[in-house]
Amino acid sequence: MKKLAHCLAERTFKPALYVLLLAALAACAPIPEAPEGVSQDQANEMVFPPPPEEARFHLERVLMSSADVVEEAEESSFRRTLTGAARSGEGLTKPYGVAVFQGRVFVSDSGSRSIKVFDLPGRRFYRIGEGDDLDREGLSLPLGLDIDRFGNVYVVDAAAKVVKVYTKDGKFLRKLGGPEWFNRPASVTVDKGGDRIYVVDIGGTSSNEHHRIRVFDARTGVHLRDISKRGSADGEVNLPRDAQISPKDGLLYVMDSGNFRVQAFDLDGKFVRAFGSIGLQMGQFSRPKELAIDAAGNIYVVDAAFGNVQIFTAEGQLLLPLGSRSPYNRGGKYMLPSGVAVDEDGRVYVVDQYFRRVDVYRPAALAPDTGFAVLGGVKPAAPK
C-alpha cells in the first residue's frame, strides 16, 4: 500500500479527462444480473483510472446479498440448474456506513435496523443489533460505525442517540451517550488503543451549540471534552458528517460538510489545517458525506452529488476520482453513495444507498487472492 500511495502522490492526474473516460468505460460495463459479485474477467476490465493510464484500482467484487459470500449447497445449485432459477439471498435494505476488520465487512442497514456482516474469509453472513437479553431494544437507526484494534464494533444509533458497542461476532458489550448528550449523532471513530471515541453531532440548521465532535472514554462512557463549535472560521464546523483518525499522522480529520471542506485537528482538538471548497469541479465538494483514510494517509471522500469517491493527500491534493454518477446499476457507478472504508490491505469499500450494494476495489499494487478480504480465505500454496 505504501508503494501505491507513493505512486498516487507522485503522479499528476487530469481529473476532467478521467471523468469523461470513466463515463465511457461504465457505459459499456455489464450490469450484474444476480447478486453474485463481479467475475474475475469483469474485474480485470473495470480499472480506475481506465486505459491508457496505469491502473490504480480494480473493481474486485460487489456485495449485494448473503449469496455473495455464503457458499451454495450442492443440492440447491443442482436444483437451480434444473429449474433455471436465479440464486437469491438476504440483501441490503437501506445501507449507509461501512467498516471492515480482517475481511469482515460491517454495513449499517437502517432499513433492517441492524448491522449486516459479510464475512468474506469465513463465507458467512450474519446480523448484529437485532436485540437479545443483553440488548433488549436492539438498534433503531444505525448510521456511522467504526472498529477498534480488537475487532469491537462501535455503532451510532441516531434514533436512540447513543453509541452501542458489540464484539465482532455480535455480542452486546455496552452503550454510552443518550439524548442528553447528542442532538443528531451521525458517526463515530475510535482511537488506535480503543481508549477514546469521537462522536460527530451534526446539529441542525436552527441549532448553534450542537455542531461539534464529542469525546468520551470508550470504556466508561465518561465525557472528556468537545471539539469545535458552529462557524466557518478555521477550527469551526457547520453540519459535520463524519470523522476519522489517520493511521499515518494520528490527526482527526472531520468532514465539515456545511463548509464543504475537510478539517484536521489533533486529538485534543487543536486545529491543524483544512482543504476543500464548494463547487462542481473535481477536487471540490458538492454534497460530501463520509470519509476514510488509508495507511499512507490518503483521504477518501464520498460525494453524493458527484456520485464518486475522491482521493486526496492529507494536504488536499486531488489524486484520483473513483467511480462516477449514473442512474444505471453498474459496477463503479453510483446514484447515492454514502459510506466508504479502507481496510488493512488497502481495499476500498463504497456503499451506495440507492443501488443497495457495496463495491470492493482492490489496489493494483495488491495481488489477487492476497490479504484478509479473500472469499473463503487465502488458500495455502500447492505442494511442489
Side-chain angles (χ1 to χ4, degrees):
M1 191 59 202
K2 290 182 178 179
K3 181 179 179 182
L4 171 65
H6 176 75
C7 291
L8 285 172
E10 293 298 321
R11 191 157 183 98
T12 301
F13 291 94
K14 304 177 181 62
L17 176 60
Y18 283 167
V19 171
L20 294 174
L21 290 173
L22 284 169
L25 176 69
C28 59
I31 300 175
E33 296 180 355
E36 296 181 351
V38 176
S39 71
Q40 189 59 51
D41 288 341
Q42 291 173 346
N44 289 336
E45 295 174 2
M46 294 182 182
V47 296
F48 301 86
E53 297 294 329
E54 181 182 354
R56 302 300 185 187
F57 290 95
H58 295 259
L59 179 60
E60 186 170 58
R61 69 178 68 255
V62 173
L63 300 174
M64 297 178 66
S65 81
S66 58
D68 291 313
V69 293
V70 177
E71 193 167 9
E72 186 176 23
E74 185 176 344
E75 180 181 349
S76 175
S77 177
F78 180 70
R79 187 183 305 112
R80 285 199 309 108
T81 301
L82 293 177
T83 62
R87 191 181 179 196
S88 61
E90 180 180 338
L92 297 168
T93 306
K94 191 177 180 181
Y96 181 83
V98 59
V100 187
F101 180 77
Q102 295 182 354
R104 300 191 195 192
V105 184
F106 299 80
V107 183
S108 59
D109 191 337
S110 60
S112 66
R113 300 182 180 183
S114 67
I115 305 300
K116 293 184 175 177
V117 187
F118 298 83
D119 181 355
L120 294 172
R123 301 208 69 160
R124 296 186 302 149
F125 177 88
Y126 60 97
R127 295 175 296 278
I128 292 176
E130 294 185 303
D132 54 28
D133 291 340
L134 298 176
D135 180 29
R136 292 187 179 276
E137 69 273 19
L139 293 169
S140 300
L141 185 61
L143 293 180
L145 67 166
D146 199 14
I147 302 178
D148 66 22
R149 64 189 177 97
F150 307 105
N152 297 318
V153 185
Y154 298 72
V155 185
V156 167
D157 189 326
K161 299 183 180 181
V162 298
V163 174
K164 291 192 172 184
V165 188
Y166 302 87
T167 68
K168 62 181 179 292
D169 294 312
K171 179 183 177 182
F172 176 75
L173 297 177
R174 59 190 176 274
K175 67 179 179 180
L176 58 89
E180 69 274 23
W181 289 104
F182 302 124
N183 181 28
R184 293 175 59 205
S187 73
V188 59
T189 190
V190 58
D191 67 11
K192 184 177 181 180
D195 300 315
R196 298 179 184 178
I197 67 168
Y198 297 76
V199 185
V200 176
D201 201 334
I202 296 178
T205 55
S206 61
S207 168
N208 287 320
E209 69 272 20
H210 296 296
H211 301 242
R212 59 195 174 186
I213 297 89
R214 312 213 78 176
V215 188
F216 296 85
D217 184 294
R219 295 177 178 84
T220 66
V222 172
H223 176 245
L224 302 176
R225 67 175 59 86
D226 289 335
I227 294 176
S228 197
K229 63 179 182 178
R230 191 174 196 183
S232 57
D234 287 347
E236 296 177 341
V237 297
N238 181 31
L239 301 172
R241 293 298 298 263
D242 193 19
Q244 290 291 320
I245 298 173
S246 172
K248 177 70 172 180
D249 59 26
L251 297 178
L252 179 74
Y253 288 81
V254 177
M255 189 65 254
D256 183 8
S257 64
N259 288 320
F260 303 94
R261 64 187 178 184
V262 174
Q263 295 201 71
F265 300 83
D266 68 21
L267 296 189
D268 291 323
K270 181 181 177 181
F271 171 78
V272 177
R273 59 175 174 268
F275 68 85
S277 63
I278 186 173
L280 300 177
Q281 303 300 316
M282 290 293 99
Q284 296 180 310
F285 300 123
S286 182
R287 194 182 170 193
K289 285 197 168 186
E290 291 203 339
L291 57 83
I293 307 174
D294 67 21
N298 295 317
I299 300 172
Y300 300 65
V301 179
V302 168
D303 197 302
F306 291 163
N308 69 3
V309 174
Q310 296 186 87
I311 308 174
F312 299 88
T313 66
E315 291 74 27
Q317 177 191 355
L318 177 66
L319 299 176
L320 176 70
L322 194 60
S324 60
R325 186 173 178 83
S326 173
Y328 302 105
N329 188 8
R330 297 171 176 169
K333 308 298 286 187
Y334 305 105
M335 271 291 287
L336 194 58
S338 56
V340 62
V342 182
D343 73 8
E344 304 91 337
D345 302 304
R347 285 182 169 90
V348 182
Y349 302 75
V350 182
V351 176
D352 189 279
Q353 288 186 300
Y354 186 84
F355 293 130
R356 296 179 291 180
R357 73 171 200 257
V358 180
D359 285 359
V360 184
Y361 295 88
R362 174 178 53 82
L366 184 69
D369 294 334
T370 301
F372 287 109
V374 175
L375 191 61
V378 177
K379 307 298 188 299
K384 295 182 180 180

